Amino acid sequence: MGVLNTTPDSFYDGGRYAAFERALARAEQMLAEGADILDIGGESTRPGAEPVPEDEELRRTVPVIEAIAARYPQAIISIDTTKSRVAELALHAGACIVNDISGMTFDPRMAEVAAQAGALVVLMHIQGTPRTMQLSPHYTDVVAEVRDALRAHAQRAEQAGIPRENIWLDPGIGFGKTVQHNLQLLRHLPTLKSLGYPILIGTSRKSFIGHLLGGLPPEERLEGTLATLALAVAWGADIVRVHDVQAAVRTVRIADALVREETLTTVHTAQVRKNESN
Ligand code: HH2
């Protein structure tokens, strides 16, 4: 899953793809580099970020989704949002996945919108909100608490009419977690896998990598990111959300070949296509 933020302020690609033509060119490049999914976001969720008004998020995302869907019909498009209206219009414009960092808890209509559209959902764990999440993350047992929260998110989604096979889970690396919490969650991915859903991991260029490397900025966190991807795949991750598609594809293909008998990326792509309703 390649990240395409049409925001002015995302922590790594903010401002790079806010212009329409630049966003389209980036989409084309990521597809050429082997991305199966493009995740389009119009609101930064970096620590301390303030919410973006719905109209502005729509303005940033919907025209880009429409244009990508028209120009690259093979692209599988995901909308990275917590707002049901944004999800609804993005699905109408050609997206088929809703990636919700709140696990569909911030907006009470989100599950209904996703269910009605037949969308696949990514349900992520977050402690708090982007504005507050890094102030003082606290868990007694981070792995058990995130597992239980993700199980509850999946159950709520199924009760709202989203079929089990349309649900992916994500522990939310960096979302209300210390460096140690992130490391524990990655190390214990098999515990999250035991819930029985595909697992998505988003470590790309995040601050725990910079921290572990003595304070490197986002621009210098590629190798660290690739190390997390290889191990995440070995520990059971099914989808990785990344800024650097070519490097990530090469890394996970080798990791996959070493630890798995089939390339699950292909399986999931087929699954999303099958579920696609628009
Ligand atoms: N991370 C970010 C945004 N969305 N979605 C999922 N499912 N998992 C993640 O780990 C995840 C996510 C943060 O990264 P980015 O989009 O690059 O930054 P920003 O929130 O500043 O736009």
Side-chain angles (χ1 to χ4, degrees), residues 1 3 5 7 9-13 39 41 43-47 80 99-101 122-124 170 172-175 200-204 206 241 243:
M1 174 185 272
V3 178
N5 286 314
T7 55
D9 58 345
S10 286
F11 83 94
Y12 176 61
D13 63 352
D39 188 36
E43 176 177 63
S44 172
T45 50
R46 72 188 185 288
D80 184 352
N99 173 26
D100 185 336
I101 59 129
V122 181
L123 306 180
M124 200 195 80
D170 178 347
I173 298 300
F175 285 86
L200 183 148
I201 290 291
T203 53
S204 191
K206 286 192 176 162
R241 180 182 182 278
H243 300 97

PDB file of all heavy atoms in Angstrom, residues 1 3 5 7 9-13 39 41 43-47 80 99-101 122-124 170 172-175 200-204 206 241 243, ligand 1:
ATOM      1  N   MET A   1       0.853  -1.189   0.000  1.00  0.00           N
ATOM      2  CA  MET A   1       0.000   0.000   0.000  1.00  0.00           C
ATOM      3  C   MET A   1       0.891   1.242   0.000  1.00  0.00           C
ATOM      4  O   MET A   1       1.667   1.438   0.933  1.00  0.00           O
ATOM      5  CB  MET A   1      -0.899  -0.017   1.258  1.00  0.00           C
ATOM      6  CG  MET A   1      -1.720   1.233   1.440  1.00  0.00           C
ATOM      7  SD  MET A   1      -2.636   1.234   3.003  1.00  0.00           S
ATOM      8  CE  MET A   1      -4.146   0.418   2.539  1.00  0.00           C
ATOM      9  N   VAL A   3       1.530   5.265   0.142  1.00  0.00           N
ATOM     10  CA  VAL A   3       0.918   6.428   0.793  1.00  0.00           C
ATOM     11  C   VAL A   3       0.926   7.624  -0.152  1.00  0.00           C
ATOM     12  O   VAL A   3       1.971   7.955  -0.728  1.00  0.00           O
ATOM     13  CB  VAL A   3       1.733   6.816   2.057  1.00  0.00           C
ATOM     14  CG1 VAL A   3       1.133   8.050   2.727  1.00  0.00           C
ATOM     15  CG2 VAL A   3       1.838   5.651   3.017  1.00  0.00           C
ATOM     16  N   ASN A   5      -0.369  11.404   0.391  1.00  0.00           N
ATOM     17  CA  ASN A   5      -1.027  12.430   1.198  1.00  0.00           C
ATOM     18  C   ASN A   5      -1.150  13.722   0.406  1.00  0.00           C
ATOM     19  O   ASN A   5      -0.151  14.299  -0.003  1.00  0.00           O
ATOM     20  CB  ASN A   5      -0.235  12.679   2.486  1.00  0.00           C
ATOM     21  CG  ASN A   5      -0.413  11.542   3.475  1.00  0.00           C
ATOM     22  OD1 ASN A   5      -1.531  11.087   3.717  1.00  0.00           O
ATOM     23  ND2 ASN A   5       0.685  11.074   4.048  1.00  0.00           N
ATOM     24  N   THR A   7      -1.940  16.530   1.509  1.00  0.00           N
ATOM     25  CA  THR A   7      -1.996  17.473   2.635  1.00  0.00           C
ATOM     26  C   THR A   7      -0.827  18.462   2.524  1.00  0.00           C
ATOM     27  O   THR A   7       0.186  18.147   1.903  1.00  0.00           O
ATOM     28  CB  THR A   7      -1.795  16.702   3.947  1.00  0.00           C
ATOM     29  OG1 THR A   7      -0.557  15.973   3.826  1.00  0.00           O
ATOM     30  CG2 THR A   7      -2.914  15.725   4.225  1.00  0.00           C
ATOM     31  N   ASP A   9       0.782  19.242   5.319  1.00  0.00           N
ATOM     32  CA  ASP A   9       1.487  19.133   6.599  1.00  0.00           C
ATOM     33  C   ASP A   9       1.763  17.715   7.084  1.00  0.00           C
ATOM     34  O   ASP A   9       2.072  17.544   8.264  1.00  0.00           O
ATOM     35  CB  ASP A   9       0.679  19.879   7.668  1.00  0.00           C
ATOM     36  CG  ASP A   9      -0.741  19.344   7.807  1.00  0.00           C
ATOM     37  OD1 ASP A   9      -1.198  18.605   6.896  1.00  0.00           O
ATOM     38  OD2 ASP A   9      -1.394  19.648   8.813  1.00  0.00           O
ATOM     39  N   SER A  10       1.655  16.680   6.226  1.00  0.00           N
ATOM     40  CA  SER A  10       1.966  15.329   6.702  1.00  0.00           C
ATOM     41  C   SER A  10       3.432  15.257   7.108  1.00  0.00           C
ATOM     42  O   SER A  10       4.259  15.994   6.562  1.00  0.00           O
ATOM     43  CB  SER A  10       1.675  14.298   5.614  1.00  0.00           C
ATOM     44  OG  SER A  10       0.286  14.147   5.500  1.00  0.00           O
ATOM     45  N   PHE A  11       3.754  14.330   8.024  1.00  0.00           N
ATOM     46  CA  PHE A  11       5.080  14.406   8.644  1.00  0.00           C
ATOM     47  C   PHE A  11       6.215  14.124   7.665  1.00  0.00           C
ATOM     48  O   PHE A  11       7.325  14.610   7.841  1.00  0.00           O
ATOM     49  CB  PHE A  11       5.165  13.479   9.871  1.00  0.00           C
ATOM     50  CG  PHE A  11       5.467  12.041   9.542  1.00  0.00           C
ATOM     51  CD1 PHE A  11       6.785  11.573   9.569  1.00  0.00           C
ATOM     52  CD2 PHE A  11       4.465  11.161   9.197  1.00  0.00           C
ATOM     53  CE1 PHE A  11       7.085  10.250   9.252  1.00  0.00           C
ATOM     54  CE2 PHE A  11       4.749   9.844   8.875  1.00  0.00           C
ATOM     55  CZ  PHE A  11       6.061   9.390   8.900  1.00  0.00           C
ATOM     56  N   TYR A  12       5.938  13.388   6.576  1.00  0.00           N
ATOM     57  CA  TYR A  12       7.019  13.121   5.608  1.00  0.00           C
ATOM     58  C   TYR A  12       6.715  13.713   4.233  1.00  0.00           C
ATOM     59  O   TYR A  12       7.524  14.442   3.677  1.00  0.00           O
ATOM     60  CB  TYR A  12       7.289  11.620   5.500  1.00  0.00           C
ATOM     61  CG  TYR A  12       8.328  11.298   4.446  1.00  0.00           C
ATOM     62  CD1 TYR A  12       9.625  11.792   4.559  1.00  0.00           C
ATOM     63  CD2 TYR A  12       8.005  10.545   3.322  1.00  0.00           C
ATOM     64  CE1 TYR A  12      10.579  11.538   3.582  1.00  0.00           C
ATOM     65  CE2 TYR A  12       8.954  10.276   2.346  1.00  0.00           C
ATOM     66  CZ  TYR A  12      10.234  10.776   2.482  1.00  0.00           C
ATOM     67  OH  TYR A  12      11.173  10.525   1.518  1.00  0.00           O
ATOM     68  N   ASP A  13       5.539  13.383   3.659  1.00  0.00           N
ATOM     69  CA  ASP A  13       5.278  13.849   2.286  1.00  0.00           C
ATOM     70  C   ASP A  13       4.390  15.094   2.231  1.00  0.00           C
ATOM     71  O   ASP A  13       3.924  15.464   1.157  1.00  0.00           O
ATOM     72  CB  ASP A  13       4.705  12.709   1.421  1.00  0.00           C
ATOM     73  CG  ASP A  13       3.357  12.195   1.902  1.00  0.00           C
ATOM     74  OD1 ASP A  13       2.936  12.608   2.999  1.00  0.00           O
ATOM     75  OD2 ASP A  13       2.724  11.396   1.188  1.00  0.00           O
ATOM     76  N   ASP A  39      -3.147   4.610  -0.975  1.00  0.00           N
ATOM     77  CA  ASP A  39      -3.899   5.103   0.186  1.00  0.00           C
ATOM     78  C   ASP A  39      -3.871   6.631   0.160  1.00  0.00           C
ATOM     79  O   ASP A  39      -2.836   7.239   0.412  1.00  0.00           O
ATOM     80  CB  ASP A  39      -3.241   4.576   1.470  1.00  0.00           C
ATOM     81  CG  ASP A  39      -4.068   4.875   2.709  1.00  0.00           C
ATOM     82  OD1 ASP A  39      -5.317   4.827   2.618  1.00  0.00           O
ATOM     83  OD2 ASP A  39      -3.476   5.136   3.776  1.00  0.00           O
ATOM     84  N   GLY A  41      -4.795  10.281   1.487  1.00  0.00           N
ATOM     85  CA  GLY A  41      -5.178  10.944   2.737  1.00  0.00           C
ATOM     86  C   GLY A  41      -5.220  12.448   2.580  1.00  0.00           C
ATOM     87  O   GLY A  41      -4.359  13.039   1.929  1.00  0.00           O
ATOM     88  N   GLU A  43      -5.913  14.403   5.513  1.00  0.00           N
ATOM     89  CA  GLU A  43      -5.780  14.970   6.868  1.00  0.00           C
ATOM     90  C   GLU A  43      -4.579  14.330   7.542  1.00  0.00           C
ATOM     91  O   GLU A  43      -4.546  13.107   7.700  1.00  0.00           O
ATOM     92  CB  GLU A  43      -7.041  14.674   7.690  1.00  0.00           C
ATOM     93  CG  GLU A  43      -6.938  15.139   9.127  1.00  0.00           C
ATOM     94  CD  GLU A  43      -8.227  14.896   9.917  1.00  0.00           C
ATOM     95  OE1 GLU A  43      -8.615  13.718  10.090  1.00  0.00           O
ATOM     96  OE2 GLU A  43      -8.842  15.871  10.352  1.00  0.00           O
ATOM     97  N   SER A  44      -3.632  15.138   7.967  1.00  0.00           N
ATOM     98  CA  SER A  44      -2.482  14.571   8.672  1.00  0.00           C
ATOM     99  C   SER A  44      -2.922  14.094  10.052  1.00  0.00           C
ATOM    100  O   SER A  44      -3.723  14.746  10.721  1.00  0.00           O
ATOM    101  CB  SER A  44      -1.381  15.617   8.836  1.00  0.00           C
ATOM    102  OG  SER A  44      -0.369  15.097   9.688  1.00  0.00           O
ATOM    103  N   THR A  45      -2.395  12.938  10.447  1.00  0.00           N
ATOM    104  CA  THR A  45      -2.693  12.407  11.785  1.00  0.00           C
ATOM    105  C   THR A  45      -1.408  12.322  12.598  1.00  0.00           C
ATOM    106  O   THR A  45      -1.307  11.530  13.524  1.00  0.00           O
ATOM    107  CB  THR A  45      -3.360  11.018  11.676  1.00  0.00           C
ATOM    108  OG1 THR A  45      -2.580  10.197  10.794  1.00  0.00           O
ATOM    109  CG2 THR A  45      -4.769  11.128  11.151  1.00  0.00           C
ATOM    110  N   ARG A  46      -0.415  13.149  12.233  1.00  0.00           N
ATOM    111  CA  ARG A  46       0.836  13.156  12.991  1.00  0.00           C
ATOM    112  C   ARG A  46       0.551  13.648  14.410  1.00  0.00           C
ATOM    113  O   ARG A  46      -0.436  14.369  14.634  1.00  0.00           O
ATOM    114  CB  ARG A  46       1.874  14.047  12.297  1.00  0.00           C
ATOM    115  CG  ARG A  46       1.554  15.498  12.412  1.00  0.00           C
ATOM    116  CD  ARG A  46       2.415  16.412  11.590  1.00  0.00           C
ATOM    117  NE  ARG A  46       2.061  17.795  11.883  1.00  0.00           N
ATOM    118  CZ  ARG A  46       0.955  18.397  11.495  1.00  0.00           C
ATOM    119  NH1 ARG A  46       0.066  17.747  10.762  1.00  0.00           N
ATOM    120  NH2 ARG A  46       0.715  19.658  11.818  1.00  0.00           N
ATOM    121  N   PRO A  47       1.424  13.303  15.356  1.00  0.00           N
ATOM    122  CA  PRO A  47       1.183  13.731  16.733  1.00  0.00           C
ATOM    123  C   PRO A  47       0.986  15.238  16.833  1.00  0.00           C
ATOM    124  O   PRO A  47       1.756  16.016  16.250  1.00  0.00           O
ATOM    125  CB  PRO A  47       2.462  13.288  17.458  1.00  0.00           C
ATOM    126  CG  PRO A  47       2.961  12.126  16.663  1.00  0.00           C
ATOM    127  CD  PRO A  47       2.612  12.444  15.234  1.00  0.00           C
ATOM    128  N   ASP A  80      -7.945   7.309   3.318  1.00  0.00           N
ATOM    129  CA  ASP A  80      -7.458   7.361   4.699  1.00  0.00           C
ATOM    130  C   ASP A  80      -8.223   8.479   5.406  1.00  0.00           C
ATOM    131  O   ASP A  80      -7.874   9.659   5.276  1.00  0.00           O
ATOM    132  CB  ASP A  80      -5.948   7.649   4.663  1.00  0.00           C
ATOM    133  CG  ASP A  80      -5.295   7.629   6.032  1.00  0.00           C
ATOM    134  OD1 ASP A  80      -6.014   7.548   7.050  1.00  0.00           O
ATOM    135  OD2 ASP A  80      -4.051   7.701   6.086  1.00  0.00           O
ATOM    136  N   ASN A  99      -9.688   3.264   5.083  1.00  0.00           N
ATOM    137  CA  ASN A  99      -8.626   3.101   6.074  1.00  0.00           C
ATOM    138  C   ASN A  99      -8.882   4.107   7.187  1.00  0.00           C
ATOM    139  O   ASN A  99      -8.679   5.307   6.995  1.00  0.00           O
ATOM    140  CB  ASN A  99      -7.268   3.342   5.399  1.00  0.00           C
ATOM    141  CG  ASN A  99      -6.133   3.363   6.404  1.00  0.00           C
ATOM    142  OD1 ASN A  99      -6.219   2.765   7.482  1.00  0.00           O
ATOM    143  ND2 ASN A  99      -5.057   4.055   6.068  1.00  0.00           N
ATOM    144  N   ASP A 100      -9.357   3.618   8.337  1.00  0.00           N
ATOM    145  CA  ASP A 100      -9.790   4.511   9.415  1.00  0.00           C
ATOM    146  C   ASP A 100      -8.878   4.324  10.626  1.00  0.00           C
ATOM    147  O   ASP A 100      -8.918   3.281  11.297  1.00  0.00           O
ATOM    148  CB  ASP A 100     -11.251   4.199   9.763  1.00  0.00           C
ATOM    149  CG  ASP A 100     -11.819   5.171  10.792  1.00  0.00           C
ATOM    150  OD1 ASP A 100     -11.040   5.770  11.554  1.00  0.00           O
ATOM    151  OD2 ASP A 100     -13.056   5.305  10.833  1.00  0.00           O
ATOM    152  N   ILE A 101      -8.067   5.347  10.926  1.00  0.00           N
ATOM    153  CA  ILE A 101      -7.101   5.229  12.023  1.00  0.00           C
ATOM    154  C   ILE A 101      -7.786   5.119  13.393  1.00  0.00           C
ATOM    155  O   ILE A 101      -7.145   4.776  14.371  1.00  0.00           O
ATOM    156  CB  ILE A 101      -6.083   6.401  12.039  1.00  0.00           C
ATOM    157  CG1 ILE A 101      -6.812   7.743  12.169  1.00  0.00           C
ATOM    158  CG2 ILE A 101      -5.184   6.372  10.806  1.00  0.00           C
ATOM    159  CD1 ILE A 101      -6.273   8.593  13.272  1.00  0.00           C
ATOM    160  N   VAL A 122      -9.924  -0.992   6.850  1.00  0.00           N
ATOM    161  CA  VAL A 122      -8.732  -1.171   7.684  1.00  0.00           C
ATOM    162  C   VAL A 122      -9.066  -0.539   9.021  1.00  0.00           C
ATOM    163  O   VAL A 122      -9.348   0.668   9.095  1.00  0.00           O
ATOM    164  CB  VAL A 122      -7.494  -0.481   7.076  1.00  0.00           C
ATOM    165  CG1 VAL A 122      -6.283  -0.730   7.970  1.00  0.00           C
ATOM    166  CG2 VAL A 122      -7.235  -0.963   5.662  1.00  0.00           C
ATOM    167  N   LEU A 123      -9.075  -1.345  10.072  1.00  0.00           N
ATOM    168  CA  LEU A 123      -9.423  -0.858  11.413  1.00  0.00           C
ATOM    169  C   LEU A 123      -8.154  -0.779  12.236  1.00  0.00           C
ATOM    170  O   LEU A 123      -7.534  -1.798  12.550  1.00  0.00           O
ATOM    171  CB  LEU A 123     -10.437  -1.809  12.067  1.00  0.00           C
ATOM    172  CG  LEU A 123     -11.698  -2.071  11.238  1.00  0.00           C
ATOM    173  CD1 LEU A 123     -12.619  -3.030  11.974  1.00  0.00           C
ATOM    174  CD2 LEU A 123     -12.423  -0.764  10.921  1.00  0.00           C
ATOM    175  N   MET A 124      -7.764   0.456  12.574  1.00  0.00           N
ATOM    176  CA  MET A 124      -6.505   0.654  13.281  1.00  0.00           C
ATOM    177  C   MET A 124      -6.756   0.965  14.746  1.00  0.00           C
ATOM    178  O   MET A 124      -7.780   1.534  15.112  1.00  0.00           O
ATOM    179  CB  MET A 124      -5.735   1.807  12.614  1.00  0.00           C
ATOM    180  CG  MET A 124      -4.260   1.818  12.926  1.00  0.00           C
ATOM    181  SD  MET A 124      -3.490   3.391  12.493  1.00  0.00           S
ATOM    182  CE  MET A 124      -3.958   4.365  13.918  1.00  0.00           C
ATOM    183  N   ASP A 170      -4.957  -3.324  12.191  1.00  0.00           N
ATOM    184  CA  ASP A 170      -3.666  -2.614  12.216  1.00  0.00           C
ATOM    185  C   ASP A 170      -3.402  -2.143  13.650  1.00  0.00           C
ATOM    186  O   ASP A 170      -4.243  -1.433  14.213  1.00  0.00           O
ATOM    187  CB  ASP A 170      -3.784  -1.416  11.244  1.00  0.00           C
ATOM    188  CG  ASP A 170      -2.541  -0.547  11.180  1.00  0.00           C
ATOM    189  OD1 ASP A 170      -1.656  -0.687  12.036  1.00  0.00           O
ATOM    190  OD2 ASP A 170      -2.477   0.296  10.262  1.00  0.00           O
ATOM    191  N   GLY A 172      -1.551   0.130  14.690  1.00  0.00           N
ATOM    192  CA  GLY A 172      -1.376   1.579  14.809  1.00  0.00           C
ATOM    193  C   GLY A 172      -0.026   1.970  15.382  1.00  0.00           C
ATOM    194  O   GLY A 172       0.064   2.607  16.441  1.00  0.00           O
ATOM    195  N   ILE A 173       1.017   1.620  14.639  1.00  0.00           N
ATOM    196  CA  ILE A 173       2.374   1.957  15.089  1.00  0.00           C
ATOM    197  C   ILE A 173       2.503   3.491  15.173  1.00  0.00           C
ATOM    198  O   ILE A 173       2.212   4.193  14.201  1.00  0.00           O
ATOM    199  CB  ILE A 173       3.415   1.357  14.103  1.00  0.00           C
ATOM    200  CG1 ILE A 173       3.321  -0.181  14.078  1.00  0.00           C
ATOM    201  CG2 ILE A 173       4.828   1.818  14.445  1.00  0.00           C
ATOM    202  CD1 ILE A 173       3.570  -0.885  15.399  1.00  0.00           C
ATOM    203  N   GLY A 174       2.905   3.970  16.354  1.00  0.00           N
ATOM    204  CA  GLY A 174       3.086   5.419  16.543  1.00  0.00           C
ATOM    205  C   GLY A 174       1.841   6.176  16.970  1.00  0.00           C
ATOM    206  O   GLY A 174       1.896   7.379  17.177  1.00  0.00           O
ATOM    207  N   PHE A 175       0.722   5.482  17.108  1.00  0.00           N
ATOM    208  CA  PHE A 175      -0.521   6.163  17.463  1.00  0.00           C
ATOM    209  C   PHE A 175      -0.853   5.934  18.943  1.00  0.00           C
ATOM    210  O   PHE A 175      -1.603   5.030  19.297  1.00  0.00           O
ATOM    211  CB  PHE A 175      -1.668   5.671  16.581  1.00  0.00           C
ATOM    212  CG  PHE A 175      -1.622   6.203  15.176  1.00  0.00           C
ATOM    213  CD1 PHE A 175      -0.878   5.572  14.193  1.00  0.00           C
ATOM    214  CD2 PHE A 175      -2.322   7.356  14.828  1.00  0.00           C
ATOM    215  CE1 PHE A 175      -0.834   6.065  12.894  1.00  0.00           C
ATOM    216  CE2 PHE A 175      -2.278   7.858  13.538  1.00  0.00           C
ATOM    217  CZ  PHE A 175      -1.540   7.218  12.573  1.00  0.00           C
ATOM    218  N   LEU A 200      -2.325  -5.236   8.728  1.00  0.00           N
ATOM    219  CA  LEU A 200      -1.612  -4.173   8.018  1.00  0.00           C
ATOM    220  C   LEU A 200      -0.677  -3.484   9.011  1.00  0.00           C
ATOM    221  O   LEU A 200      -1.043  -3.259  10.160  1.00  0.00           O
ATOM    222  CB  LEU A 200      -2.616  -3.179   7.444  1.00  0.00           C
ATOM    223  CG  LEU A 200      -2.064  -2.025   6.588  1.00  0.00           C
ATOM    224  CD1 LEU A 200      -3.091  -1.638   5.502  1.00  0.00           C
ATOM    225  CD2 LEU A 200      -1.730  -0.791   7.395  1.00  0.00           C
ATOM    226  N   ILE A 201       0.528  -3.158   8.520  1.00  0.00           N
ATOM    227  CA  ILE A 201       1.518  -2.501   9.387  1.00  0.00           C
ATOM    228  C   ILE A 201       1.994  -1.207   8.715  1.00  0.00           C
ATOM    229  O   ILE A 201       2.357  -1.210   7.533  1.00  0.00           O
ATOM    230  CB  ILE A 201       2.729  -3.446   9.620  1.00  0.00           C
ATOM    231  CG1 ILE A 201       2.328  -4.617  10.509  1.00  0.00           C
ATOM    232  CG2 ILE A 201       3.907  -2.696  10.225  1.00  0.00           C
ATOM    233  CD1 ILE A 201       2.026  -4.248  11.944  1.00  0.00           C
ATOM    234  N   GLY A 202       2.000  -0.127   9.509  1.00  0.00           N
ATOM    235  CA  GLY A 202       2.472   1.166   9.000  1.00  0.00           C
ATOM    236  C   GLY A 202       3.616   1.697   9.846  1.00  0.00           C
ATOM    237  O   GLY A 202       3.394   2.400  10.829  1.00  0.00           O
ATOM    238  N   THR A 203       4.836   1.333   9.459  1.00  0.00           N
ATOM    239  CA  THR A 203       6.004   1.822  10.200  1.00  0.00           C
ATOM    240  C   THR A 203       6.743   2.912   9.426  1.00  0.00           C
ATOM    241  O   THR A 203       7.678   3.514   9.957  1.00  0.00           O
ATOM    242  CB  THR A 203       7.021   0.669  10.420  1.00  0.00           C
ATOM    243  OG1 THR A 203       7.299   0.074   9.152  1.00  0.00           O
ATOM    244  CG2 THR A 203       6.490  -0.378  11.375  1.00  0.00           C
ATOM    245  N   SER A 204       6.321   3.164   8.185  1.00  0.00           N
ATOM    246  CA  SER A 204       7.138   3.910   7.237  1.00  0.00           C
ATOM    247  C   SER A 204       7.654   5.252   7.767  1.00  0.00           C
ATOM    248  O   SER A 204       6.876   6.174   8.024  1.00  0.00           O
ATOM    249  CB  SER A 204       6.316   4.142   5.960  1.00  0.00           C
ATOM    250  OG  SER A 204       7.142   4.631   4.935  1.00  0.00           O
ATOM    251  N   LYS A 206       8.562   6.348  10.477  1.00  0.00           N
ATOM    252  CA  LYS A 206       8.006   6.884  11.727  1.00  0.00           C
ATOM    253  C   LYS A 206       9.089   7.182  12.763  1.00  0.00           C
ATOM    254  O   LYS A 206      10.222   6.691  12.678  1.00  0.00           O
ATOM    255  CB  LYS A 206       6.931   5.945  12.261  1.00  0.00           C
ATOM    256  CG  LYS A 206       5.664   6.076  11.408  1.00  0.00           C
ATOM    257  CD  LYS A 206       4.459   5.433  11.983  1.00  0.00           C
ATOM    258  CE  LYS A 206       3.263   5.744  11.061  1.00  0.00           C
ATOM    259  NZ  LYS A 206       2.146   4.829  11.301  1.00  0.00           N
ATOM    260  N   ARG A 241       2.106  -0.490   4.682  1.00  0.00           N
ATOM    261  CA  ARG A 241       1.745   0.859   4.208  1.00  0.00           C
ATOM    262  C   ARG A 241       3.022   1.693   4.197  1.00  0.00           C
ATOM    263  O   ARG A 241       3.624   1.911   5.243  1.00  0.00           O
ATOM    264  CB  ARG A 241       0.711   1.458   5.155  1.00  0.00           C
ATOM    265  CG  ARG A 241       0.252   2.862   4.791  1.00  0.00           C
ATOM    266  CD  ARG A 241      -0.745   3.384   5.824  1.00  0.00           C
ATOM    267  NE  ARG A 241      -1.224   4.699   5.468  1.00  0.00           N
ATOM    268  CZ  ARG A 241      -0.556   5.830   5.716  1.00  0.00           C
ATOM    269  NH1 ARG A 241       0.606   5.809   6.325  1.00  0.00           N
ATOM    270  NH2 ARG A 241      -1.063   6.990   5.353  1.00  0.00           N
ATOM    271  N   HIS A 243       5.808   4.827   2.206  1.00  0.00           N
ATOM    272  CA  HIS A 243       6.035   5.975   1.322  1.00  0.00           C
ATOM    273  C   HIS A 243       6.922   5.586   0.146  1.00  0.00           C
ATOM    274  O   HIS A 243       6.839   6.191  -0.913  1.00  0.00           O
ATOM    275  CB  HIS A 243       6.733   7.099   2.094  1.00  0.00           C
ATOM    276  CG  HIS A 243       5.947   7.602   3.271  1.00  0.00           C
ATOM    277  ND1 HIS A 243       6.168   7.166   4.553  1.00  0.00           N
ATOM    278  CD2 HIS A 243       4.926   8.474   3.339  1.00  0.00           C
ATOM    279  CE1 HIS A 243       5.323   7.777   5.376  1.00  0.00           C
ATOM    280  NE2 HIS A 243       4.557   8.572   4.670  1.00  0.00           N
TER     281      HIS A 243
HETATM  282  N1  HH2 B   1      -0.087   5.898   9.633  1.00  0.00           N
HETATM  283  C1  HH2 B   1      -0.327   7.155   9.202  1.00  0.00           C
HETATM  284  C2  HH2 B   1      -1.537   7.460   8.551  1.00  0.00           C
HETATM  285  N2  HH2 B   1      -2.462   6.503   8.325  1.00  0.00           N
HETATM  286  N3  HH2 B   1      -3.159   4.263   8.498  1.00  0.00           N
HETATM  287  C3  HH2 B   1      -2.949   3.020   8.919  1.00  0.00           C
HETATM  288  N4  HH2 B   1      -3.860   2.061   8.698  1.00  0.00           N
HETATM  289  N5  HH2 B   1      -1.796   2.674   9.584  1.00  0.00           N
HETATM  290  C4  HH2 B   1      -0.820   3.578   9.848  1.00  0.00           C
HETATM  291  O1  HH2 B   1       0.201   3.215  10.482  1.00  0.00           O
HETATM  292  C5  HH2 B   1      -1.019   4.923   9.417  1.00  0.00           C
HETATM  293  C6  HH2 B   1      -2.236   5.239   8.740  1.00  0.00           C
HETATM  294  C7  HH2 B   1       0.694   8.215   9.413  1.00  0.00           C
HETATM  295  O2  HH2 B   1       1.551   8.337   8.307  1.00  0.00           O
HETATM  296  P1  HH2 B   1       1.414   9.443   7.162  1.00  0.00           P
HETATM  297  O3  HH2 B   1       0.115   9.305   6.433  1.00  0.00           O
HETATM  298  O4  HH2 B   1       2.617   9.396   6.321  1.00  0.00           O
HETATM  299  O5  HH2 B   1       1.484  10.819   7.954  1.00  0.00           O
HETATM  300  P2  HH2 B   1       0.412  11.927   8.308  1.00  0.00           P
HETATM  301  O6  HH2 B   1      -0.566  11.329   9.275  1.00  0.00           O
HETATM  302  O7  HH2 B   1       1.231  13.042   8.912  1.00  0.00           O
HETATM  303  O8  HH2 B   1      -0.302  12.345   7.052  1.00  0.00           O
END
